[in-house]
Amino acid sequence: MGTLTADVPRLDEHCLHKLASSCRLTSTSNCCACADERPHSRTYSKYIDGVGFVQRGTRWQSYCWFCKEFWTNRIACTDPPLLTSQTQIPLIPDQSEFLRRWFEFHQGYRIVTGPDGCENRIAVIGEPFREVSPGFLPRTLDQLREGIPNDESMPENRFPREKLESEEQTDSTPQQSIEEALDNLLDEVEQEDDMIPLRQQRGSRHAEEQSNANAPITRRQSRLQRAADRATRVFGTREDVQQDDYQSPISGMYSRAMERYQQAEAQRRSTNEQPP
């Protein structure tokens, strides 16, 4: 795909991205991104066959083919990388520096101001725009001779961006290392273990149960107690399991249900067999 606006003059009513994106909108002087009046969102819906609408889309997925290619390439060239949820097209990431370089290729020269204040024009020559995908800069003659591919890895296509406010807040927040997190977890476990009272080595069983009843219940003990209760409801107590005629509570429930069903069926058959 190439850029089709190489020979189109730049007009004052054009938005900054109109020519660089090679936008196909003819009824407006704005590109698809500048004409998009929807409020910005972190996610956008997208339809996937067999699944339906999911929040995996992008803001520019429904733009014209050239604008969609332009913003896809520009997001890929962002340095440092930017998540799709962090973008606010056409504001974030800012494309001012890229557009300034692009229009130098478009007009064919660059204005340089000398030490004495005089302005000089320096020719800027690159490959034809029809061979450049929207969102990339044309390669110079030296780059063409060296066979450098024109993609997001080319340094000339990558421009550093400013940090977002959310990223600055994240950087200012002290980060906890893995070692510190493990140490904190071990400290919590030790604190829980310290809360478990020491059982009396001697004394009657009643005194031991009484002391355990008065002891504070920790989170670990609570989890163990809930697990024991669930096991008792499913399998029964230890004494029940050790019996020769052991039957789990679930099996007993189904057996009683089957007996009631058989009794109901027998009563129904006896009622139907009685003569009128």
Side-chain angles (χ1 to χ4, degrees), residues 81-100:
L82 197 65
L83 298 177
T84 304
S85 58
Q86 296 175 310
T87 60
Q88 293 185 8
I89 304 301
L91 304 177
I92 300 175
D94 184 23
Q95 301 300 322
S96 301
E97 187 63 23
F98 169 80
L99 295 174
R100 184 186 66 80

Side-chain angles (χ1 to χ4, degrees), residues 106-118:
H106 182 263
Q107 64 190 5
Y109 62 88
R110 178 190 306 124
I111 298 178
V112 178
T113 303
D116 55 354
C118 296

Side-chain angles (χ1 to χ4, degrees), residues 35-276:
D36 191 354
E37 298 180 352
R38 294 176 299 171
H40 289 282
S41 175
R42 294 178 60 88
T43 58
Y44 295 88
S45 61
K46 177 182 179 181
Y47 181 80
I48 299 179
D49 291 340
V51 178
F53 285 97
V54 295
Q55 298 296 323
R56 297 182 181 178
T58 59
R59 184 178 179 86
W60 57 92
Q61 64 186 359
S62 299
Y63 292 172
C64 73
W65 186 264
F66 291 86
C67 282
K68 182 169 64 174
E69 184 74 9
F70 174 83
W71 288 110
T72 300
N73 292 335
R74 291 315 307 152
I75 297 300
C77 294
T78 304
D79 185 25
L82 197 65
L83 298 177
T84 304
S85 58
Q86 296 175 310
T87 60
Q88 293 185 8
I89 304 301
L91 304 177
I92 300 175
D94 184 23
Q95 301 300 322
S96 301
E97 187 63 23
F98 169 80
L99 295 174
R100 184 186 66 80
R101 292 284 294 124
W102 189 90
F103 279 112
E104 289 179 354
F105 282 97
H106 182 263
Q107 64 190 5
Y109 62 88
R110 178 190 306 124
I111 298 178
V112 178
T113 303
D116 55 354
C118 296
E119 294 183 351
N120 299 320
R121 289 189 177 184
I122 299 178
V124 178
I125 302 175
E127 64 179 323
F129 270 109
R130 63 177 179 272
E131 299 179 3
V132 181
S133 296
F136 295 149
L137 292 176
R139 290 173 292 182
T140 61
L141 298 179
D142 294 337
Q143 291 173 336
L144 289 173
R145 295 190 187 99
E146 296 175 2
I148 298 177
N150 193 0
D151 53 17
E152 63 273 7
S153 62
M154 193 172 74
E156 285 74 12
N157 288 328
R158 306 182 67 86
F159 294 90
R161 63 173 178 86
E162 297 181 357
K163 282 190 175 182
L164 305 178
E165 294 182 359
S166 58
E167 294 176 328
E168 293 178 354
Q169 294 176 359
T170 303
D171 295 342
S172 61
T173 304
Q175 300 294 331
Q176 188 181 32
S177 63
I178 298 178
E179 291 78 6
E180 294 176 351
L182 292 176
D183 292 339
N184 293 336
L185 291 176
L186 292 175
D187 293 340
E188 292 178 0
V189 172
E190 291 178 357
Q191 292 176 2
E192 291 182 357
D193 293 339
D194 294 339
M195 293 179 61
I196 301 176
L198 296 177
R199 295 185 177 181
Q200 297 180 357
Q201 300 295 331
R202 297 178 181 178
S204 63
R205 182 177 180 181
H206 176 73
E208 184 178 353
E209 293 177 355
Q210 187 68 22
S211 62
N212 291 336
N214 296 332
I217 299 177
T218 62
R219 185 181 303 175
R220 178 184 297 177
Q221 289 177 329
S222 178
R223 290 197 298 266
L224 293 176
Q225 184 63 35
R226 289 197 299 269
D229 294 340
R230 287 195 297 268
T232 302
R233 288 194 298 269
V234 175
F235 302 104
T237 62
R238 183 184 298 271
E239 291 77 8
D240 296 337
V241 175
Q242 293 176 352
Q243 293 179 1
D244 296 336
D245 56 347
Y246 163 72
Q247 186 181 32
S248 66
I250 294 181
S251 300
M253 179 183 66
Y254 281 104
S255 299
R256 291 191 297 270
M258 179 59 67
E259 291 177 0
R260 290 195 298 268
Y261 172 75
Q262 292 176 354
Q263 292 175 1
E265 286 294 314
Q267 184 177 1
R268 183 181 61 82
R269 286 194 298 268
S270 62
T271 303
N272 294 336
E273 292 176 357
Q274 291 180 359

